[in-house]
Amino acid sequence: GSHMKDLRSPICCILGHVDTGKTKLLDKIRQTNVQGGEAGGITQQIGATYFPIDAIKAKTKVMAEYEKQTFDVPGLLVIDTPGHESFSNLRSRGSSLCNIAILVIDIMHGLEQQTIESIKLLRDRKAPFVVALNKIDRLYDWKAIPNNSFRDSFAKQSRAVQEEFQSRYSKIQLELAEQGLNSELYFQNKNMSKYVSIVPTSAVTGEGVPDLLWLLLELTQKRMSKQLMYLSHVEATILEVKVVEGFGTTIDVILSNGYLREGDRIVLCGMNGPIVTNIRALLTPQPLRELRLKSEYVHHKEVKAALGVKIAANDLEKAVSGSRLLVVGPEDDEDELMDDVMDDLTGLLDSVDTTGKGVVVQASTLGSLEALLDFLKDMKIPVMSIGLGPVYKRDVMKASTMLEKAPEYAVMLCFDVKVDKEAEQYAEQEGIKIFNADVIYHLFDSFTAYQEKLLEERRKDFLDYAIFPCVLQTLQIINKRGPMIIGVDVLEGTLRVGTPICAVKTDPTTKERQTLILGKVISLEINHQPVQEVKKGQTAAGVAVRLEDPSGQQPIWGRHVDENDTLYSLVSRRSIDTLKDKAFRDQVARSDWLLLKKLKVVFGIE
Ligand code: GDP
Ligand code: MG
């Protein structure tokens, strides 16, 4: 009908664990192998592939036998760059880059780490998605019928293949349930808003690909409100910032809604402030068969959503990937738009810890920065400073301010960015750890492992001062000296190997407090069995304690101390402070703190 030209195409992203077949699946979807160029018109765009509705009709023909088909939208735009690069630009607010996502899972592997991370991203961003359960051709003895619908191919498999499918599918369904996702095979799914639809596919044989395309169309047509389906105001997101010979710095943009025209005045988020410039050229790649033409790109006076387009303009060097792109209309206040677009970045500054303690975070795009900050917030890791793009020495210098304040945070957590050589050297020399990964979980794992390592080292360094409180009653002198061995009862606290033991006496005449050190616990035995520690009430049999004093000035039983003296672990101001340190405080029980309070009086500690 005549209104058709005002409808916009839905946009689809693809994500999932590495090697599940995202690229291969995209290739398969793109393939124009239908005879006589029936499915022609599929166009390669900037960072995306556009499928006009006729191409989708041809590719989903085999579905007619199973499903009713409606074709309301003009086509489907599939974002090409699989994985985080594109998906993390799907931001929690301000971006309509993705109307539906495909989460690819390898049927032979089930859920993997990045699958779980992807599910979290999808959930955070409230993005509708379907699961492609890929590599069904790898089921043992699968008989392939290229580009067939899944149901038809499945019906023609042997019983054993069907059973293997069923058991792997059920297992994956269970794994999804563990992530809080109810799922169903798409054609058995009675409630698409409560259950995630699963489409079994093979990116090698093309089986299930018609099902996948059909479902994407079905869901977007049903789910996208009428409003969303019509072209209205401009919505555009920067995917990448790139230098191109002959054009200078360009931006690759996904236009999800509206029109862009040559000469349009545009506003976008820059690393050092808003960028305002005019579109010099709107470019898409030359169709393949015309590659011999002298330019790689086709110029457009005007482009219409949804599509991927390269924009050439001045002053794009500091443009931020993931930023929205706004067009200044005749009614618009340019300054207002500048503030508006910078909110994307400044809004993230709320995540920065106001105490000035925390790690330095650097990411490749606004979207990935946002995702990383969300993640760190969940993990209760404070952030001191955030940045975008490659890591330079000045970024590392920010982290080095932590060396004094909180050495465990003297690190940089970098997501998918380049680290400059000079920055690397500087970090090495200053002892700043730089963690760089393109999987958030990997970053987090290496960061926590590093922190644990630091704590362990700290524990080793301060072990001599980490003295846990205990109160002992002497039951028996087993050996007076060389070595001193006594039998004790633990009245309060915990007695550990390594703890120095003393008696506290008050001189009857001078009233001075005197600490008599018996020595350090070398070993503990209950009924001749060595133990590392003994808690109050743990044994009625008594504990044999072997004590050693390298100073050789042990008090003498019967002269300086006797069985009536209460014995204590040797606490001091320093030992109490050590237990308060983060290296130990998790090991100190509430009852230990209460006991320490009592012992402070005994030892006269302020
Ligand atoms: P990506 O990392 O998710 O983009 O995965 P790729 O598309 O690069 O695929 C990883 C490997 O799996 C490649 O060797 C592919 O040929 C293979 N592969 C992908 N999809 C399928 C499939 O459906 N069946 C089989 N047998 N192999 C596949
Ligand atoms: Mg790939």
Side-chain angles (χ1 to χ4, degrees):
S2 66
H3 70 276
M4 271 295 277
K5 68 180 198 303
D6 289 331
L7 279 173
R8 74 156 173 108
S9 308
I11 303 172
C12 170
C13 290
I14 192 160
L15 66 167
H17 195 83
V18 67
D19 282 347
T20 50
K22 300 180 292 293
T23 304
K24 192 110 185 146
L25 206 51
L26 278 173
D27 287 347
K28 199 70 196 179
I29 295 173
R30 252 197 309 259
Q31 219 171 63
T32 9
N33 61 347
V34 185
Q35 319 88 301
E38 245 183 310
I42 296 179
T43 50
Q44 184 68 38
Q45 301 183 341
I46 298 294
T49 306
Y50 184 68
F51 299 88
I53 202 70
D54 288 340
I56 298 174
K57 274 183 189 160
K59 278 178 166 283
T60 58
K61 218 172 228 162
V62 291
M63 293 303 292
E65 191 184 327
Y66 297 96
E67 302 285 352
K68 201 166 116 354
Q69 291 178 292
T70 41
F71 302 100
D72 287 339
V73 291
L76 181 68
L77 188 73
V78 180
I79 308 260
D80 276 353
T81 38
H84 280 105
E85 309 94 48
S86 62
F87 190 78
S88 57
N89 280 328
L90 170 74
R91 319 230 351 265
S92 55
R93 63 202 156 83
S95 171
S96 54
L97 190 59
C98 177
N99 300 111
I100 193 156
I102 305 169
L103 173 64
V104 186
I105 297 176
D106 184 333
I107 192 169
M108 307 308 279
H109 293 167
L111 268 62
E112 296 169 269
Q113 205 166 41
Q114 279 167 284
T115 324
I116 293 167
E117 189 174 310
S118 301
I119 290 173
K120 191 173 158 356
L121 268 174
L122 287 161
R123 194 178 280 148
D124 284 355
R125 304 300 190 256
K126 296 188 172 57
F129 67 100
V130 301
V131 169
L133 197 54
N134 195 36
K135 306 198 185 178
I136 52 171
D137 63 289
R138 289 197 51 202
L139 296 172
Y140 182 74
D141 209 25
W142 179 271
K143 298 281 188 295
I145 306 170
N147 304 311
N148 198 9
S149 71
F150 169 73
R151 271 172 280 182
D152 190 57
S153 274
F154 189 71
K156 290 177 175 141
Q157 303 302 318
S158 70
R159 180 86 173 268
V161 173
Q162 294 183 346
E163 275 167 8
E164 186 188 351
F165 172 84
Q166 194 57 48
S167 97
R168 290 188 186 276
Y169 162 66
S170 303
K171 192 162 158 272
I172 288 167
Q173 222 179 2
L174 210 67
E175 291 176 342
L176 286 169
E178 279 165 16
Q179 299 302 316
L181 285 179
N182 294 316
S183 59
E184 271 302 347
L185 283 172
Y186 79 93
F187 50 87
Q188 292 167 354
N189 190 349
K190 299 272 189 311
N191 188 345
M192 297 268 188
S193 57
K194 269 181 91 173
Y195 290 80
V196 175
S197 284
I198 297 183
V199 189
T201 58
S202 164
V204 166
T205 69
E207 285 161 300
V209 171
D211 308 56
L212 185 59
L213 280 170
W214 173 83
L215 184 64
L216 292 175
L217 212 60
E218 183 72 11
L219 284 176
T220 48
Q221 288 176 150
K222 277 212 178 118
R223 289 258 193 107
M224 284 168 76
S225 66
K226 274 276 179 304
Q227 195 92 45
L228 258 178
M229 284 170 61
Y230 286 91
L231 285 165
S232 49
H233 61 293
V234 173
E235 276 178 35
T237 309
I238 302 174
L239 270 191
E240 259 189 278
V241 183
K242 269 188 199 158
V243 177
V244 176
E245 213 189 305
F247 293 101
T249 303
T250 65
I251 49 175
D252 291 353
V253 166
I254 296 293
L255 178 64
S256 2
N257 207 346
Y259 293 83
L260 284 178
R261 296 175 183 93
E262 209 181 84
D264 272 351
R265 194 155 176 79
I266 54 172
V267 180
L268 41 122
C269 176
M271 308 240 183
N272 309 329
I275 298 170
V276 184
T277 183
N278 295 312
I279 296 180
R280 193 169 355 111
L282 287 167
L283 309 161
T284 57
Q286 273 309 339
L288 273 181
R289 62 194 127 77
E290 289 160 55
L291 254 184
R292 277 179 304 146
L293 292 175
K294 67 170 184 289
S295 167
E296 218 185 316
Y297 296 104
V298 185
H299 287 249
H300 302 264
K301 285 280 170 229
E302 174 184 287
V303 291
K304 182 188 133 187
L307 93 163
V309 65
K310 185 183 278 299
I311 294 177
N314 295 334
D315 306 323
L316 293 177
E317 292 75 18
K318 296 265 185 270
V320 171
S321 299
S323 155
R324 288 176 295 159
L325 176 147
L326 306 177
V327 173
V328 187
E331 315 276 283
D332 291 326
D333 176 0
E334 205 168 283
D335 288 336
E336 230 167 76
L337 296 188
M338 283 157 71
D339 284 347
D340 196 15
V341 86
M342 285 311 288
D343 278 352
D344 291 357
L345 181 56
T346 47
L348 295 181
L349 290 171
D350 291 346
S351 308
V352 172
D353 198 277
T354 46
T355 66
K357 257 193 207 174
V359 300
V360 173
V361 170
Q362 191 103 3
S364 53
T365 70
L366 268 181
S368 55
L369 183 58
E370 188 180 29
L372 185 53
L373 289 173
D374 281 353
F375 192 80
L376 294 175
K377 192 184 271 171
D378 282 356
M379 297 299 162
K380 302 203 163 46
I381 299 170
V383 173
M384 183 255 282
S385 167
I386 58 176
L388 283 161
V391 175
Y392 295 108
K393 184 176 164 184
R394 66 178 140 78
D395 304 308
V396 184
M397 284 167 78
K398 283 189 276 182
S400 66
T401 61
M402 280 303 109
L403 284 170
E404 290 265 301
K405 272 198 229 175
E408 72 277 22
Y409 294 138
V411 302
M412 298 198 63
L413 294 184
C414 305
F415 188 47
D416 188 31
V417 291
K418 283 205 179 67
V419 180
D420 173 72
K421 263 271 164 301
E422 195 195 2
E424 214 164 66
Q425 279 163 6
Y426 180 74
E428 171 100 37
Q429 158 204 327
E430 294 293 308
I432 313 283
K433 274 292 252 196
I434 300 182
F435 297 102
N436 196 359
D438 47 16
V439 179
I440 291 182
Y441 273 116
H442 293 173
L443 264 186
F444 178 68
D445 287 350
S446 37
F447 176 65
T448 38
Y450 174 69
Q451 273 202 318
E452 193 41 51
K453 193 183 123 219
L454 285 186
L455 275 186
E456 199 50 57
E457 278 169 12
R458 211 178 156 81
R459 272 183 216 124
K460 254 192 222 133
D461 288 351
F462 291 101
L463 200 59
D464 281 350
Y465 301 102
I467 296 161
F468 285 77
C470 67
V471 180
L472 312 174
Q473 170 71 57
T474 309
L475 301 173
Q476 190 190 0
I477 317 290
I478 300 166
N479 201 27
K480 279 196 175 173
R481 52 189 322 150
M484 183 187 288
I485 304 173
I486 54 175
V488 302
D489 183 22
V490 181
L491 299 179
E492 297 282 352
T494 308
L495 175 62
R496 301 182 176 208
V497 171
T499 304
I501 301 298
C502 66
V504 182
K505 308 278 266 188
T506 308
D507 188 295
T509 44
T510 64
K511 302 287 176 211
E512 244 175 64
R513 194 182 277 114
Q514 231 188 335
T515 311
L516 301 173
I517 302 173
L518 276 65
K520 214 183 212 181
V521 177
I522 298 304
S523 68
L524 294 169
E525 279 183 16
I526 300 175
N527 290 329
H528 307 289
Q529 295 302 313
V531 289
Q532 282 302 302
E533 57 170 53
V534 184
K535 286 193 179 61
K536 166 190 178 180
Q538 187 177 322
T539 170
V543 189
V545 185
R546 180 191 281 250
L547 293 154
E548 188 182 85
D549 180 26
S551 77
Q553 302 188 342
Q554 277 173 325
I556 295 166
W557 285 102
R559 186 138 112 221
H560 305 122
V561 288
D562 60 43
E563 278 127 304
N564 297 323
D565 286 310
T566 307
L567 303 180
Y568 304 96
S569 54
L570 178 64
V571 301
S572 62
R573 176 78 264 163
R574 178 156 191 184
S575 77
I576 294 171
D577 288 345
T578 303
L579 290 184
K580 283 181 188 161
D581 188 277
K582 61 188 163 300
F584 296 101
R585 72 182 161 223
D586 289 347
Q587 305 173 6
V588 188
R590 207 182 114 74
S591 56
D592 289 329
W593 290 123
L594 291 174
L595 180 55
L596 277 169
K597 213 167 162 188
K598 284 194 228 165
L599 295 192
K600 269 159 91 174
V601 179
V602 173
F603 284 87
I605 299 166
E606 292 303 312

